[in-house]
Amino acid sequence: MDAHVPQRARLAGLMTALLVRGGTLLLLGLCAAAAFAAPEKFTDPEDGRFDTSEYLLDYKGLLPVPVIITEPAVGYGGGMVAAFFDQSVSEAAQKNLEESGRAAPPNISAIGGFKTENGTWGGFAGHMHTWQGDRIRYLGGVAKLDIRLDYYGLTGQARRYGVEGVGTVQQVLMRVADTPWLIGARYAYLDSTMSFERERPPELLPESTKARIGSAGLLVDYDTRDNFLSPNKGTYVEGEANFIRPALGASMSFDLYGLRAYHWLQLAPQWVLGLRGDYQHATDGVPFWGQPFVKLRGIPAARYQDRSTAVGELELRWALDERWWLVGFSGAGKAYGPRTEFSAAETAYAWGGGFRYLIARKLGLLAGLDVARGPEDSAFYIQVGSAWR
C-alpha cells in the first residue's frame, strides 16, 4: 500500500477547498478525459470503480480547466481557467503536516475568463497563498466584469440592466491558536457604470449611473466540517461586516452585514442531513444592484432582492451504495425592506433533487447534478462538493 495513504486520508477537505478557490469546476471532466489515456490510474483498487484520487493528489504545474455556467439569471455559458500549482496537494500537505501538524493546500495562481448567452462576461486573475500550516490564508485578485441581470422592482416586471466595472479584492484570514476560529479583514474596490437596456424604472431615477465601491470588511469564521466541500458532519459559520466609505475610495456611504451558518448531521451511515441559514442586510445608500438577494437553487440571482434577505434550506442525502448518493432539498427565502415589512414580503420557495458520485474516495469528494424548481422556472446545476458555498 502507498506509504502516503494515511496522510492523504487526512486531506479529505483540502483538495475540495482547492477546487473552489482555483475555479476548477470541471477538473473532473479533465480527469475523465485523461482516464482514456491511462485507465489503470483512474481505477480504485478497492472496488474497481472510476476514481480520481491519485490524479488530484499528485497533479502540479499548469492546469487548463474548462468551466460551465448554468446560472439561470445570466443563461448558459462557459469559459476557461489556467491555474498554476506550485506543489501537488500531497506534497504541500505533507510539508505542512511535518512543520505544523496541519495540512494546507499548495499556493495557486489563476487567470481566466467567461461569457454567457445573455452577454455577461468577465476576465480575472488571482492568487491564493497559505503560511505556517494554514494559520494564515491570503486570497486576492483583480477582475473586469460586465454583468447583465434583470431588475424586478415595484412592478415585478423584468427589466434588463448591466453593471460594468473593474475591481479588486484582497483578503487575509488568521487562525486563532489551534482552534476552529479564524478572523480576518477584506478590502474590495469596484469602479462601475450601470445602464438599463430600455427606460429606467421611475423609482431608480435618483440613482447615479456611475458608482465607486471602496469597502473595508471584518470577517469571523468557525469551521468544524470533516470535509470542506462534501461534509458529512460539522458546522461552518461566517459573519462579516463591510463598511463602504469615501475615505476607502467609495463615492457613497453604506454598510453590508451578513451571517451564514451550515450544519451537517450524519443521522446514520447512509443518511446525511444538512441545515442552512443565511441573513444579509444593507443600510441606506446601497445601490439597487448591490442589495442582498435570495440565494436558492431554482431561483435566478437577483430575482428577489431588497435591503434585507433571510433564507433557510435543508438537504437530505441517501447513499445507494459506497459510491452513489441521491439528494433532495427544499428551501424558502424572503427579501424585505423599508417598503415591505418581513411579514408582508413574498416568500419564495424552491425544491429539487439530484445525485452524487464519490469521484475521489481518498478525498471524500462528491460530484453530480441537481435539478431545482423555483416559483417561476426550473434550472440545473453541476455540483462539485456541496451546493452551499
Side-chain angles (χ1 to χ4, degrees):
M1 182 178 290
D2 189 337
H4 296 302
V5 167
Q7 288 186 339
R8 290 179 178 181
R10 300 177 64 181
L11 307 182
L14 184 58
M15 185 62 204
T16 48
L18 188 61
L19 291 171
V20 166
R21 294 173 179 173
T24 56
L25 179 62
L26 289 188
L27 178 56
L28 304 180
L30 194 64
C31 292
F36 286 100
E40 69 284 350
K41 189 176 180 64
F42 292 85
T43 300
D44 191 324
E46 288 196 7
D47 60 13
R49 299 191 189 185
F50 178 76
D51 189 274
T52 64
S53 297
E54 296 300 325
Y55 185 80
L56 295 177
L57 284 165
D58 295 335
Y59 195 95
K60 65 178 178 180
L62 186 64
L63 180 68
V65 184
V67 174
I68 289 179
I69 298 170
T70 64
E71 166 56 50
V74 297
Y76 299 119
M80 182 67 69
V81 174
F84 179 80
F85 301 70
D86 69 340
Q87 295 177 297
S88 71
V89 174
S90 56
E91 288 173 341
Q94 184 176 354
K95 176 183 176 183
N96 284 283
L97 282 169
E98 293 172 351
E99 292 179 352
S100 67
R102 179 181 290 106
N107 303 317
I108 309 167
S109 299
I111 185 170
F114 65 90
K115 188 173 183 179
T116 74
E117 61 181 340
N118 83 339
T120 292
W121 65 273
F124 57 88
H127 181 72
M128 183 194 78
H129 207 107
T130 63
W131 290 272
Q132 300 178 16
D134 202 31
R135 289 185 180 275
I136 304 173
R137 299 177 183 177
Y138 165 79
L139 182 65
V142 296
K144 180 173 177 57
L145 304 170
D146 187 350
I147 308 297
R148 303 192 176 273
L149 297 168
D150 289 329
Y151 173 75
Y152 292 84
L154 298 178
T155 66
Q157 296 181 343
R159 301 193 189 191
R160 182 62 52 85
Y161 70 93
V163 176
E164 181 179 2
V166 177
T168 183
V169 175
Q170 304 294 321
Q171 177 178 297
V172 176
L173 285 172
M174 302 184 68
R175 188 175 299 278
V176 179
D178 289 320
T179 72
W181 292 93
L182 295 102
I183 59 173
R186 176 196 298 141
Y187 176 77
Y189 178 82
L190 176 66
D191 191 347
S192 66
T193 301
M194 179 274 293
S195 61
F196 277 84
E197 292 185 357
R198 298 180 181 178
E199 69 278 0
R200 194 191 302 194
E203 68 266 27
L204 298 181
L205 289 178
E207 291 223 6
S208 173
T209 59
K210 294 184 179 294
R212 296 190 312 276
I213 306 296
S215 169
L218 301 175
L219 297 95
V220 178
D221 287 7
Y222 176 81
D223 192 355
T224 61
R225 292 171 292 180
D226 62 343
N227 186 298
F228 281 91
L229 273 186
S230 299
N232 291 319
K233 57 184 177 180
T235 302
Y236 176 77
V237 180
E238 181 173 74
E240 60 177 310
N242 299 284
F243 308 99
I244 295 82
R245 298 289 187 273
L248 299 169
S251 58
M252 58 192 72
S253 294
F254 63 93
D255 300 333
L256 289 171
Y257 303 99
L259 178 64
R260 56 193 176 116
Y262 312 144
H263 183 65
W264 289 267
L265 293 165
Q266 188 154 17
L267 305 177
Q270 72 274 27
W271 291 96
V272 175
L273 175 65
L275 305 170
R276 170 190 171 222
D278 193 316
Y279 171 77
Q280 306 290 322
H281 175 71
T283 62
D284 291 346
V286 61
F288 79 92
W289 48 266
Q291 294 182 130
F293 58 86
V294 171
K295 299 176 184 178
L296 284 170
R297 283 166 283 185
I299 298 180
R303 172 60 183 91
Y304 300 93
Q305 65 177 149
D306 210 319
R307 293 283 183 82
S308 301
T309 59
V311 174
E313 187 178 11
L314 61 83
E315 179 180 278
L316 187 63
R317 259 195 289 134
W318 175 53
L320 295 173
D321 62 19
E322 293 184 354
R323 288 281 179 174
W324 291 97
W325 295 74
L326 294 181
V327 177
F329 51 88
S330 179
K334 283 192 175 192
Y336 57 99
R339 295 190 182 96
T340 307
E341 294 183 355
F342 179 85
S343 59
E346 179 183 358
T347 301
Y349 296 95
W351 58 276
F355 68 87
R356 300 289 187 273
Y357 178 76
L358 183 61
I359 198 76
R361 180 180 56 79
K362 292 181 180 179
L363 301 169
L365 177 60
L366 300 171
L369 183 74
D370 286 337
V371 178
R373 176 71 187 181
E376 299 161 342
D377 209 347
S378 300
F380 77 92
Y381 304 85
I382 298 171
Q383 304 289 5
V384 179
S386 173
W388 302 341
R389 303 286 189 259

